[in-house]
Amino acid sequence: MIPRIHKQGRNTARLLAYLYGPGRREEHTDPHLVASFDGLAPDPGRDPSTTLADLAQLLDEPLHLLPEDTRPTTHVWHASVRAAPGDRALTDTEWADIARRVISATGIDPGDGAGCRWAAVRHADDHIHLIATLVREDGRRPDHHRSAKRAQTECRQIEVDYDLHRVAAGDGTAAKRPTSAEQHKAERRGQQRTPREELRETVRRSAAGAASEEEFFDRLAAAGLLIRRRVAPSGDTLGYTVALPGDRNAKGEPVFYSGSKLAPDLSLPRIRERWAQTSDDAAPDPALPSVTGPASARRRATSAAWQALLVIDQGDDGVIAAQIAATGEVLDSLAQTSAAHTRHELQSAATSFERASRSHTRAARGHDHALRRAARDLVRSGPALGRGEDGATTAMVIDMLIFLITTAAHWHAKKQHAQQAEAAHQAADHLRAAYQAAAEHPMALLHQQGRYLAPSWQRHHSAAVRQALPELADRILAEPGWPALAATLAEAQAAGHNTAALLGEATRRRELTSATSISDVLVWRLRRTADLPAYGVSAAEAHRAAPANNQPAPARQLPTRSTPRTPRR
């Protein structure tokens, strides 16, 4: 049950004409009254002897009893209450009860005998509209402060009472929804999204990994936005507004939005918090390899995500909130640099996770430097190819991000951040779809490579799995991905690694039972930990490199590469 409080208006008759009219696309069917302040209001929809003017005059009567100079300028209160998709069709009697409960909860008519006059109009199966005049019968203004929050609270109880879909409770940290006018404007222009939504995504991506105010504004300009800065007499920037070049009002002027109107964390002061550094973050870690391209940037992001998992396991709430917010920046950066076959799902994941990146737990910025640097590296390294090392490391980082975002969802759920937890789960679903697209080719190569291992080597590596993971070994060995894991273990051993130790490190402090494919997860963890190429060798190379004997002893090594393969085209 989704209530929405609309902008107050000045003309009762005009709003009634819309509610009882055909709608903007002939979508209104059988408009009629389901409830009113006294249960006796005339219904222009089903009573041919009454008119819209009659109903408007009845609702506005308390307003006209006031002296003209004391009447409120905007006196029309308007709200809608919509059933969630999938809910059963409610009867008029049920909608009437819902209308009375919402009207009472918001303070429009609290039931004291002198409330505002109101009516509930139904012109579709799934929602009703509430209209009221904001003058009580005693001439006073109603106490409808925070009516939106009150309506939300009442609707959560209505869902329980009527056995409807439970909508996750909000906490006031969500981005502002597009107004009806913005939605209709986008529809008239054939646009799938409103300018507000387009701007929010563009500003969010421009802020992802940005290291300074000037870099942020340079990215906004490069994205083609119109920018206005609010500057203090000292020359310091106090805030900013942005507009799409083609979005104009009736006067032909660009329609500007401030960052705070796009999302609570996109105001300039909140964005500046991202650039805070702790003393430990002042200089890059010399132990980390330099980023030389999209593949190495994705490896860096995978390592940063792994470290963030450990922080969420052990950190305090402020530090955890910072890691989760920075995870959103990594998703934004990954989406805008991804190949075509993964781009849509990654963009959807980033859009969904945007809601999960904010809560009332204030992020302790400065402790998220590794993830923010990973986001910056992703942007600076440029677009990734869909094949070769670029494509394989994309699968690698997505696999790790699925775990990170699922962990974030669990933390939000534990803190009773219902909307954030749900958004994180939605983002994880999109990431799983992106993973399937990214991993298909590299995993197929590893699978072929594993098939060319001699049976004795297969038994050798399965024994290592049974030793390291006795409780999960049967499941892993039965998975379709086992040959790819066997090939990875063979490569690691040929490179001089202790495979049992690698398996132990790959599984330490992070559960695997929730993974769809444990063998896939282990492939990417082992290849990252052992610094193996993410992109497997071809079937022909695997066949040439397979041991000639049946004994698991040192023989010809599988080829390894210190540099990425040239991607096939």
Side-chain angles (χ1 to χ4, degrees), residues 294-300 302 385-399 435 438-447 449 484-485 487-489 491-492 519-538 541 559-567:
S296 58
R298 279 153 175 73
R299 281 185 175 272
R300 174 75 66 83
T302 303
L385 299 173
R387 294 289 181 92
E389 196 73 3
D390 285 5
T393 51
T394 297
M396 178 186 288
V397 69
I398 292 173
D399 175 77
Y435 172 80
E440 181 179 7
H441 191 67
M443 290 300 288
L445 285 180
L446 288 171
H447 189 275
Q449 181 178 328
L485 177 56
T488 298
L489 290 169
E491 279 194 66
S519 51
D520 279 25
V521 172
L522 290 174
V523 162
W524 299 121
R525 290 188 188 177
L526 291 176
R527 302 189 83 82
R528 176 185 65 85
T529 304
D531 198 26
L532 299 174
Y535 189 64
V537 299
S538 67
E541 290 173 312
T560 59
R561 295 184 297 275
S562 58
T563 57
R565 284 178 61 91
T566 301

Side-chain angles (χ1 to χ4, degrees), residues 41 81 100 158 167 262 269 271 313 336 370 453 471 473 476 503 545 559:
V81 184
R100 284 188 286 269
I158 290 171
V167 176
L262 299 176
I271 290 177
D313 284 342
Q336 61 185 301
L453 290 174
E471 296 180 355
I476 293 172
L503 284 167

Side-chain angles (χ1 to χ4, degrees), residues 50 63 82 151 178 227 293 314 325 327 425 443:
T50 192
L63 173 74
R82 185 178 299 273
I227 309 165
Q314 300 175 350
T327 299
H425 283 304
M443 290 300 288

